[in-house]
């Protein structure tokens, strides 16, 4: 994050709310008219939408939120990773939580049932806008590991609102990086590596 170029802010929470409000509420498509299970399309819409909410945070806020709220690392670990003080990590995490949770509480039906926005009602609108492609699902699948399985948190009844917000993101799929594995194999199989590790 520190070495990378600074991102230009792509979207604000206000713009995102406007986009959701102007996406029409439509009935789900007929199962016979789409190449994927309709339930998977709703999952794809949910993950696409909540991932978009994360992108309303700036890069540093996203990293801190993902570490502290989704992966549930301690302030000791988070501070060490980001090379900041524990207090600073806690303050920045609290700020990121506040911004994201305020938006979700005011907009998202997953968190606040009083909100009219529902994933199943937005799915067809997302398809029409090109954000969900039934022929090429990016997030949903018949069987993928969830973030909560990777970080070994229990999927039990949530006791606080903060846990509920994080739980939405822990339901996202978790992908292992195939590029790293392939690069490592290529390195191990390279002639230069073999020569360097040969015993005399």
């Amino acid at each position: 994050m520190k070495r990378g170029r600074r991102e230009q802010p792509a979207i604000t929470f206000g713009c995102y709310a406007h986009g959701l409000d102007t996406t029409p509420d439509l009935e789900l498509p007929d199962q016979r008219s789409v190449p994927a299970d309709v339930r998977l399309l709703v999952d794809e819409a949910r993950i696409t939408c909540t991932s978009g909410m994360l992108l309303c945070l700036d890069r540093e806020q996203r990293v801190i939120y993902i570490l502290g709220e989704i992966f549930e690392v301690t302030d000791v670990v988070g501070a060490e990773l980001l090379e900041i003080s524990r207090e600073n990590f806690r303050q920045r995490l609290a700020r990121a939580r506040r911004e994201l949770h305020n938006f979700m509480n005011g907009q998202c039906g997953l968190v606040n049932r009083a909100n009219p926005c529902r994933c199943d009602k937005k799915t067809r609108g997302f398809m029409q806008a090109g954000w969900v492609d039934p022929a090429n699902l990016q997030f949903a699948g018949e069987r993928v590991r969830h973030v909560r399985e990777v970080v070994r948190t229990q999927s039990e009844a949530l006791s606080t609102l903060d846990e509920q917000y994080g739980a939405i993101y822990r339901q996202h799929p978790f992908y292992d990086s195939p590029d790293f594995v392939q690069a490592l194999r290529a390195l191990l199989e390279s002639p230069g590596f073999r020569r360097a590790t040969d015993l005399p």
Side-chain angles (χ1 to χ4, degrees):
M1 181 190 77
K2 288 184 175 182
R3 286 195 300 264
R5 292 179 302 164
R6 291 191 65 81
E7 292 176 323
Q8 294 299 318
I11 192 168
T12 65
F13 283 114
C15 291
Y16 200 76
H18 177 73
L20 288 175
D21 290 341
T22 56
T23 300
D25 289 344
L26 302 170
E27 294 301 316
L28 286 169
D30 186 293
Q31 180 60 70
R32 294 166 297 183
S33 69
V34 289
D37 189 296
V38 170
R39 293 169 302 170
L40 291 179
L41 295 178
V42 174
D43 278 349
E44 184 85 357
R46 173 182 57 80
I47 298 168
T48 298
C49 186
T50 53
S51 295
M53 294 175 196
L54 270 180
L55 292 174
C56 294
L57 297 171
D58 66 38
R59 184 190 292 181
E60 181 185 67
Q61 286 180 310
R62 278 199 310 276
V63 169
I64 288 173
Y65 187 85
I66 289 167
L67 288 173
E69 186 70 17
I70 300 174
F71 286 113
E72 299 178 320
V73 303
T74 65
D75 59 342
V76 175
V77 174
E80 184 177 344
L81 288 171
L82 298 176
E83 299 176 351
I84 58 178
S85 70
R86 292 171 62 186
E87 181 181 347
N88 206 336
F89 180 82
R90 289 194 302 268
Q91 288 174 349
R92 293 180 192 188
L93 176 57
R95 190 177 309 123
R97 278 177 175 151
R98 185 169 54 249
E99 289 187 29
L100 184 61
H101 297 181
N102 284 345
F103 176 80
M104 294 177 80
N105 190 56
Q107 188 76 33
C108 182
L110 292 172
V111 171
N112 183 348
R113 300 296 295 174
N115 292 325
C117 193
R118 295 287 182 275
C119 303
D120 59 334
K121 295 293 184 186
K122 296 296 182 185
T123 298
R124 198 163 165 196
F126 282 11
M127 289 167 55
Q128 291 175 352
W131 300 328
V132 169
D133 180 358
N136 185 26
L137 300 181
Q138 298 296 310
F139 303 112
E142 290 290 353
R143 177 65 187 131
V144 293
R145 288 190 299 161
H146 291 122
V147 171
R148 67 169 173 249
E149 296 171 41
V150 176
V151 289
R152 298 179 187 161
T153 60
Q154 295 185 5
S155 174
E156 58 187 5
L158 300 171
S159 58
T160 66
L161 276 178
D162 275 346
E163 289 176 347
Q164 185 176 358
Y165 292 108
I168 288 172
Y169 291 99
R170 285 191 287 274
Q171 293 174 19
H172 281 205
F174 187 92
Y175 298 103
D176 294 318
S177 172
D179 296 335
F180 175 74
V181 172
Q182 290 172 0
L184 188 56
R185 283 185 184 146
L187 175 64
L188 294 173
E189 294 169 1
S190 69
F193 183 83
R194 287 184 183 158
R195 281 195 302 272
T197 56
D198 282 344
L199 294 174

